Amino acid sequence: MPFQPDHLTIPLVQAPMAGGASTPELAAAVSEAGGLGFLAAGYRTAQGMREQRDKARELTSRPFGINLFVPGPPAPSAADAMAAYREELLPEAAAYGIELPVPTDEADDDEWDAKLDVLVHEPVPVVSFTFGLPTPYAVEALHRVGSYLIGTVTTVAEAVAAEACGVDALCVQGPLAGGHRGTHDADDRPEEVPLLDLLAAVRERVRIPLIAAGGLGTGEDIAAVLRAGAVAAQLGTVYLRADESGASRTHQDALIDPRFAETVVTRAFSGRPARGLRNQFIDAHDATAPSAYPQVHHLTRGLRAAAAKSGDAERLHLWAGERYRLARSAPAADITRDLWERTRAALAS
């Protein structure tokens, strides 16, 4: 039987966290507990995505999903801004004895066609999309093989467009979400409409199911979005310290480190607005980081890898939502079940 959100025993979705945090073990554990686990295909090759999918299949027979980054239109040349930003970051790289790549304007579609081909010929129950909307061909092809499609939206206008393109449900992402906002235009300044208000506004305009995301971490948070009409809640940050998380130890430790007392939205690490723990790198470079994605991401990738390896949280992208202090070290299945128990209690009160 094709997947439907109301088939979930526990209406919780583990957010697809690109860059390594989402693992087959994490996705499988959440799905086994009764929620919906997700793999993140962003920044992976098509073969890497296939290998993670196959591993997840070995670990669970329950439905899980794969998230794709939708490639945007060709961006205007940012060569001058990128060259200046590279020059600014050279001392940061020198601290690790590494070279920074020379930026180019070469298009990067994150192997969209190859990944789509894999998912059409070897389908998974759920496919979601971030940073834009799938093409009509992708919608038709994935529907033909039985996949349930979810579009990520951050505004009412994006939600209306997503419903029109034929996806089956929407992930409505509020401003307190950790990591990248799913804005369809990389240059857009993300709106700050609170999640419950955004959810209500989207419900007035679309008729497909809504999954609420962004800054959720307690049973009361989840109960609130379910009462507001969401069919499920999506959470990512609360799983970052789970036993099955692939987040670096540096990242995990920073979530409980009193040095990091707030989150901010920055383009400093990737060129796209993303929420993370405020650190020295953000303070030094946020104001000058170009709005150039994924060029900035590629420029800083080696620097971020070196920071993670050396335990330097001040130069690492510490993606986190507003409820980051609730992330705890425990099996993901226990985290999922505990959240649902607390949600049920909140709903009953």
Side-chain angles (χ1 to χ4, degrees), residues 12 16 21-22 30 53 55 66 73 91 117 131 142 157 165 177 196 217 232 243 274 317 349:
L12 298 182
S22 292
V30 173
R53 180 209 55 200
K55 180 62 175 178
I66 290 181
D117 187 64
F131 300 155
L142 291 169
C165 92
L196 290 176
D243 294 353
H317 58 304
S349 64

Side-chain angles (χ1 to χ4, degrees), residues 48-60:
M49 180 192 74
R50 176 189 281 116
E51 292 169 357
Q52 287 221 323
R53 180 209 55 200
D54 291 347
K55 180 62 175 178
R57 282 177 172 166
E58 293 175 5
L59 296 170
T60 183

Side-chain angles (χ1 to χ4, degrees), residues 10-22:
I10 296 177
L12 298 182
V13 178
Q14 166 248 313
M17 296 173 283
S22 292

Side-chain angles (χ1 to χ4, degrees), residues 8 42 67 205 243 273 291:
L8 296 173
N67 176 260
R205 297 292 301 278
D243 294 353
S291 175

Side-chain angles (χ1 to χ4, degrees), residues 174-235:
L176 301 183
H180 287 101
R181 290 295 300 279
T183 50
H184 293 184
D185 186 334
D187 291 328
D188 279 352
R189 182 180 180 85
E191 293 185 1
E192 296 297 323
V193 179
L195 176 58
L196 290 176
D197 293 339
L198 178 60
L199 199 60
V202 171
R203 279 192 69 203
E204 290 183 359
R205 297 292 301 278
V206 305
R207 295 293 174 263
I208 56 179
L210 307 180
I211 298 167
L216 306 177
T218 69
E220 289 78 9
D221 293 340
I222 298 165
V225 299
L226 295 179
R227 288 194 187 103
V231 298
Q234 179 171 289
L235 303 94

Side-chain angles (χ1 to χ4, degrees), residues 28-49:
V30 173
S31 289
E32 283 290 302
L36 179 66
F38 254 98
L39 299 173
Y43 307 136
R44 293 193 182 279
T45 64
Q47 179 58 27
M49 180 192 74

